[in-house]
Amino acid sequence: MDPMTSRGGRRPQPTDTGSIPTPALWSERADMAESAIISRHLRALWGCPGTELGVVGWPATRRERLFGSWHYWWQAHLLDCAIDAANRVPTPARRRRIAAIARSHRMRNITGWTNRYYDDMAWLAIALERAERTQELSAARGGLLALEQQLYSAWNPGVGGGIPWRVRSDFYNAPANGPAGIALLRLGQVERAQQMADWLHDTLRDPQTGLVLDGIHLPSGEIERPTFTYCQGVVLGLEAELAVHTDDDRHIDRAVDLVDAVEDHMTHRLVISGGGGGDGGLFNGILARYLAVVALMLPGEGKRPEAARRIAAAIVKTSATAAWSNRLDVEGEPLFGYDWSKPARLPGGSAGAGKFTAGGSVTASVVPERDLSVQLSGWMLMEAAYQVSAAGL
């Protein structure tokens, strides 16, 4: 563990970055990332025993401390990260935390497990499915049934397929269809997951860059052309897992092509490019998570699949090394930067605390490092680096 030197931020000493990156070292770094989230962000929901949820900023505003702002999909990724830690080193405390976060999510959502945003629901479905499958969280079953029904029935053949971003929206995008496809595939809906993968490839893959575009308005056909790291991540994960489940080479080929496009357009010297704060704080971590899935799961014995697995692992480990080298130590625990290639900055307060835009997304704090999303990405990245390192990649 790095020693505590003051209550402020400390730039890591050179000796911090010279250690051999073994699985044990990545596991220790993931432990430290988890510890930082627990100490800075996790609180009981409204003082209720047996609950834990993530305060969305540090330092927090009063509204954030009271969970007036809580951001459904950020908490789904908090749950997913907690599952990563429990799968890596199972402990009773980690299992209790998973149950507490899931319970608190349901409580804070007030109206049940579901909401109006299909991307939100997809992320929670992924986390609850993993909690049930790997941690035997039986309480997840009711939530999964409700979420699966929503995601499956949202498919709209009347406009050529796809599911919308939210209820009654005309915007059909990768951030909804990618994670929904992963969730439905893991829940046994292989045919629908394959339909989603085909729709994403046929509708949103940019022929010039090979990247996945944000989304399309239907039935008008107007495409929103921004490319985000997390859009690439969810499509990579979906294609890799479909390649395993279906033994269909088209999914291998798509995943390989997309890894190449990510390396060319979304990394610099194999470090994933910065994604900002607010909702964008999660984008890089999601790409790292699913690059690890490609590295660990993508089948195929030819040169191209082998190269894709190697490149995916290298991006994860290089990004994790950069993020760790550029972290701040605050009271002995890491604070990650929103851009892993640049030194992290210490938030001086709650200035610019994330707010909802008219479109429903959450803006970044003035110093993005205060956002729970940014710190979850750092934790997610450390867990991904451990996974690929433990596999000898």
Side-chain angles (χ1 to χ4, degrees), residues 161-232:
I163 69 172
W165 168 50
R166 64 182 177 186
V167 174
R168 291 187 292 278
S169 173
D170 76 337
F171 189 50
Y172 291 66
N173 64 355
N177 285 270
I182 293 169
L184 290 172
L185 177 60
R186 294 178 181 178
L187 290 167
Q189 303 283 3
V190 179
E191 183 177 355
R192 177 53 49 82
Q194 195 154 17
Q195 287 178 311
M196 288 178 162
D198 290 343
W199 181 87
L200 285 159
H201 179 79
D202 295 341
T203 309
L204 296 180
R205 189 69 69 93
D206 178 18
Q208 277 71 49
T209 64
L211 294 172
V212 179
L213 302 173
D214 185 28
I216 184 171
H217 295 271
L218 293 172
S220 72
E222 178 190 355
I223 292 179
E224 299 284 351
R225 302 193 66 82
T227 52
F228 299 112
T229 48
Y230 77 145
C231 295
Q232 321 314 312

Side-chain angles (χ1 to χ4, degrees), residues 330-348:
V330 183
E331 297 188 342
E333 293 173 333
L335 182 83
F336 295 104
Y338 73 93
D339 183 333
W340 296 329
S341 67
K342 298 177 181 178
R345 296 181 296 162
L346 183 68

Side-chain angles (χ1 to χ4, degrees), residues 44-103:
L45 174 63
W46 302 324
C48 297
T51 64
E52 282 187 293
L53 210 59
V55 175
V56 297
W58 177 85
T61 66
R62 183 174 184 273
R63 175 178 172 78
E64 290 168 344
R65 289 193 298 273
L66 295 174
F67 294 102
S69 297
W70 74 295
H71 310 331
Y72 182 115
W73 81 290
W74 295 20
Q75 307 295 334
H77 285 284
L78 170 64
L79 179 58
D80 223 7
C81 287
I83 295 163
D84 287 337
N87 289 344
R88 176 171 48 82
V89 182
T91 68
R94 282 173 168 158
R95 293 195 66 180
R96 287 193 298 270
R97 183 170 299 116
I98 289 167
I101 294 170
R103 183 184 308 117

Side-chain angles (χ1 to χ4, degrees), residues 141-368:
R141 175 47 36 186
L144 276 173
L145 290 172
L147 293 164
E148 180 181 1
Q149 191 277 330
Q150 290 288 324
L151 297 173
Y152 188 87
S153 63
W155 182 259
N156 188 356
V159 293
I163 69 172
W165 168 50
R166 64 182 177 186
V167 174
R168 291 187 292 278
S169 173
D170 76 337
F171 189 50
Y172 291 66
N173 64 355
N177 285 270
I182 293 169
L184 290 172
L185 177 60
R186 294 178 181 178
L187 290 167
Q189 303 283 3
V190 179
E191 183 177 355
R192 177 53 49 82
Q194 195 154 17
Q195 287 178 311
M196 288 178 162
D198 290 343
W199 181 87
L200 285 159
H201 179 79
D202 295 341
T203 309
L204 296 180
R205 189 69 69 93
D206 178 18
Q208 277 71 49
T209 64
L211 294 172
V212 179
L213 302 173
D214 185 28
I216 184 171
H217 295 271
L218 293 172
S220 72
E222 178 190 355
I223 292 179
E224 299 284 351
R225 302 193 66 82
T227 52
F228 299 112
T229 48
Y230 77 145
C231 295
Q232 321 314 312
V234 293
V235 173
L236 282 169
L238 178 57
E239 296 288 6
E241 293 194 31
L242 278 168
V244 173
H245 279 81
T246 67
D247 198 29
D248 189 326
D249 286 348
R250 78 176 186 269
H251 299 299
I252 298 176
D253 292 339
R254 291 174 186 173
V256 169
D257 289 343
L258 189 50
V259 169
D260 288 344
V262 165
E263 182 188 12
D264 289 344
H265 300 286
M266 294 201 149
T267 69
H268 178 66
R269 296 181 179 176
L270 295 182
V271 177
I272 297 169
S273 302
D279 281 342
L282 281 164
F283 292 2
N284 295 359
I286 291 168
L287 176 55
R289 175 184 291 283
Y290 291 106
L291 281 168
V293 168
V294 170
L296 295 167
M297 291 184 61
L298 185 69
E301 301 302 323
K303 290 182 178 179
R304 294 192 72 232
E306 291 174 1
R309 291 190 293 267
R310 185 175 64 253
I311 292 166
I315 293 171
V316 170
K317 292 191 293 183
T318 306
S319 296
T321 299
W324 190 259
S325 298
N326 283 306
R327 80 197 187 281
L328 281 174
D329 281 350
V330 183
E331 297 188 342
E333 293 173 333
L335 182 83
F336 295 104
Y338 73 93
D339 183 333
W340 296 329
S341 67
K342 298 177 181 178
R345 296 181 296 162
L346 183 68
S350 58
K355 297 178 175 61
F356 280 106
T357 68
S361 60
V362 178
T363 62
S365 297
V366 169
V367 178

